[in-house]
Amino acid sequence: MPEEIKSKVEENEQEQDQNLEETEEIEEIIEPDLVEQVEIDALKLEIEELNQKSGEYLDGWQRERAEFVNYKKRMDREREQLKVNITGNVIRSYLEIIDDLELALKNKPAEGEGPTWAEGIELIYRKFLTMLETEGIKPMQVEGQIFDPNLHEAISQEPNEDFESGEIIEVVRNGYSIGERVLRPASVRVAQ
């Protein structure tokens, strides 16, 4: 048995020597420049593949980044719109109080302690309007304008020779807007 192993080892060594000799012969036949050129071409091909992959990764990353920026902008717009909606809903209930204050100031007493009392009410009214303006809510200036159903609510149409047809004669109840959005349309009388 040891002799068989010994012979197989010798055979393997001879085969390796023969393979080595063949490799050396091939290397002598192939010019060294050609071997370098083959290696260079292989490396160029690998570089092209890596550049293509890196370009794909960069393109994907840029697309995801753009989507994220758009997402942030959309969330900011939605958050701002939600704030406006909530503010509008809360303030809408206070507009009736302002209407009552305006009505009280229109009918303020002229005698006794009435004028002093009216001054206090007027201060409260102005403070209320200032608070609304800080929240971005402004009263509409509609007197003398042409009726617009998007901004005004007509409570009556009356013939009036001093005004053109469709022109607002009188504001019965002020309208308010928050930004570009109408919070409450102005109730008006319109010339016929």
Side-chain angles (χ1 to χ4, degrees):
M1 189 86 153
E3 286 180 24
E4 286 178 26
I5 295 174
K6 205 176 199 184
S7 70
K8 285 190 179 186
V9 168
E10 287 175 2
E11 284 177 28
N12 281 342
E13 286 176 355
Q14 286 175 356
E15 281 180 26
Q16 286 177 355
D17 288 341
Q18 190 177 2
N19 287 340
L20 184 59
E21 287 173 10
E22 288 175 1
T23 305
E24 288 173 355
E25 287 175 13
I26 291 174
E27 285 179 355
E28 287 175 8
I29 295 172
I30 299 176
E31 295 180 26
D33 291 341
L34 187 58
V35 171
E36 283 182 23
Q37 187 61 40
V38 168
E39 289 177 357
I40 290 172
D41 289 344
L43 289 174
K44 284 182 179 179
L45 183 62
E46 187 177 345
I47 288 171
E48 277 183 38
E49 289 173 358
L50 292 174
N51 279 338
Q52 185 179 5
K53 280 185 181 179
S54 69
E56 289 172 6
Y57 294 150
L58 178 63
D59 187 46
W61 176 80
Q62 287 174 334
R63 227 179 277 119
E64 290 299 319
R65 177 130 172 89
E67 285 179 19
F68 181 70
V69 168
N70 290 339
Y71 167 78
K72 281 181 65 176
K73 287 178 183 177
R74 186 176 66 247
M75 294 310 299
D76 289 344
R77 279 192 309 266
E78 287 176 4
R79 191 177 307 115
E80 188 61 32
Q81 187 60 44
L82 182 63
K83 179 186 174 206
V84 167
N85 289 343
I86 289 171
T87 301
N89 290 339
V90 169
I91 296 297
R92 200 174 283 132
S93 60
Y94 290 108
L95 294 180
E96 291 179 23
I97 297 170
I98 290 176
D99 293 338
D100 292 342
L101 288 172
E102 288 172 349
L103 186 61
L105 290 172
K106 280 183 184 177
N107 298 315
K108 62 182 172 183
E111 299 175 4
E113 293 183 21
T116 307
W117 173 85
E119 286 176 20
I121 296 295
E122 193 168 347
L123 284 173
I124 294 169
Y125 173 72
R126 278 188 267 161
K127 198 180 256 186
F128 218 146
L129 288 180
T130 303
M131 187 245 347
L132 290 179
E133 285 182 22
T134 60
E135 292 297 323
I137 298 168
K138 296 179 182 175
M140 295 180 183
Q141 304 299 323
V142 298
E143 209 161 312
Q145 292 183 353
I146 300 298
F147 177 76
D148 180 356
N150 296 317
L151 303 174
H152 313 124
E153 179 182 20
I155 58 169
S156 70
Q157 279 190 322
E158 304 169 8
N160 192 322
E161 297 195 12
D162 295 335
F163 295 93
E164 293 180 23
S165 178
E167 192 173 345
I168 296 173
I169 300 171
E170 179 186 8
V171 177
V172 177
R173 186 180 74 178
N174 280 331
Y176 292 89
S177 62
I178 183 167
E180 297 296 317
R181 181 175 155 226
V182 174
L183 189 59
R184 181 179 81 179
S187 297
V188 295
R189 291 181 16 217
V190 181
Q192 200 172 26

